[in-house]
Amino acid sequence: MNFTVGFKPLLGDAHSMDNLEKQLICPICLEMFSKPVVILPCQHNLCRKCANDVFQASNPLWQSRGSTTVSSGGRFRCPSCRHEVVLDRHGVYGLQRNLLVENIIDIYKQESSRPLHSKAEQHLMCEEHEEEKINIYCLSCEVPTCSLCKVFGAHKDCEVAPLPTIYKRQKSELSDGIAMLVAGNDRVQAVITQMEEVCQTIEDNSRRQKQLLNQRFESLCAVLEERKGELLQALAREQEEKLQRVRGLIRQYGDHLEASSKLVESAIQSMEEPQMALYLQQAKELINKVGAMSKVELAGRPEPGYESMEQFTVSVEHVAEMLRTIDFQSGASGEEEDEEVALDGDEGSAGPEEERPDGP
């Protein structure tokens, strides 16, 4: 059943509303944006549901926010300009809502539902009977109609009801549906809030475990540094002892060489003495000194291989292999591990006392 509104002055306003409605059409569902409306980085708008549908189609393996885990994000292209939209781990729920467009939609719907004129109902006329107002509702065809259509027209065999009665009934049904939808949205929002809290808890726990992991590896590094310092000190002590011994021998041999050189010089000068009597007075003493000097025994030289430091070689292969086996303990928290370490230490200290009665 077709009908027209015969109120001419309102045609201009209706045309403006139509132009406004065209600007509020989603490019995906081709319907007016449904709240919430999300704004893409390219400044185009989409219904959140439509954005989620496009995103799910582009990322089939991405898990939704209602699942037990949340993925790391994804990407899709804007259907209006093909600009690539990169999303974070919240998916389309991380996109900013366009509150301005939502407010415009609310105003548009309010203006659309507002009566155009106090006599507007008088101008809702039947197209088949131009002089008749639309005043009844055909329950069989589910369309508004006029009385003449019921009596003589296409709806004469149909069941009808007063238009205000059906208006109130359907308005009540729509109101109930809106209430149910809003309640469902509240439940969904509560689930979203819970999931966001789970994400925050995961981040907090991960940060805490990272700190514990860093502390324990720093403790291992401190132990390694301490042990390295001890071994370097032992190596330095051995080096100093060997150097002192060898340098002492060098000084001893040097002193002997210097005394021997002086004695040789004195003997040569004595041999150049032309007077035999004077020479013989000094010769005997020089001969004895030369003989004694030649028989002086010096300390033995360092044994072969004395300079080697191979005994200070450290084998770390087994320690490195053991360090590579460090891994996370499934089902054990940091506090439980600390308690286990403390208990192991107590048991280790009590062990010898328990075994002592069995000893000698």
Side-chain angles (χ1 to χ4, degrees), residues 120-131:
E121 292 295 333
Q122 300 177 4
H123 293 81
L124 198 61
M125 312 302 292
C126 177
E127 283 191 350
E128 295 183 10
H129 308 93
E130 297 181 355
E131 300 298 327

Side-chain angles (χ1 to χ4, degrees), residues 235-246 306:
L235 179 59
R237 286 195 299 269
E238 182 70 12
Q239 172 189 342
E240 187 62 25
E241 291 176 1
K242 289 189 174 184
L243 288 176
Q244 288 181 359
R245 179 187 173 191
V246 174
Y306 181 76

Side-chain angles (χ1 to χ4, degrees), residues 1 160 193 251 255 258 318:
M1 182 63 177
V160 298
T193 302
R251 287 193 298 269
D255 294 341
E258 183 179 0
H318 65 289

Side-chain angles (χ1 to χ4, degrees), residues 131-147:
E131 300 298 327
E132 290 294 322
K133 298 182 293 182
I134 301 296
N135 58 357
I136 61 175
Y137 186 83
C138 178
L139 299 175
S140 303
C141 302
E142 296 184 344
V143 293
T145 185
C146 71
S147 300

Side-chain angles (χ1 to χ4, degrees), residues 168-186:
K168 293 180 180 179
R169 180 193 305 170
Q170 292 192 0
K171 195 170 185 180
S172 176
E173 292 177 357
L174 181 59
S175 176
D176 294 341
I178 292 174
M180 294 178 61
L181 185 59
V182 170
N185 291 342
D186 292 340

Side-chain angles (χ1 to χ4, degrees), residues 84 284 289:
E84 188 177 53
K284 186 62 176 179
K289 287 182 179 181

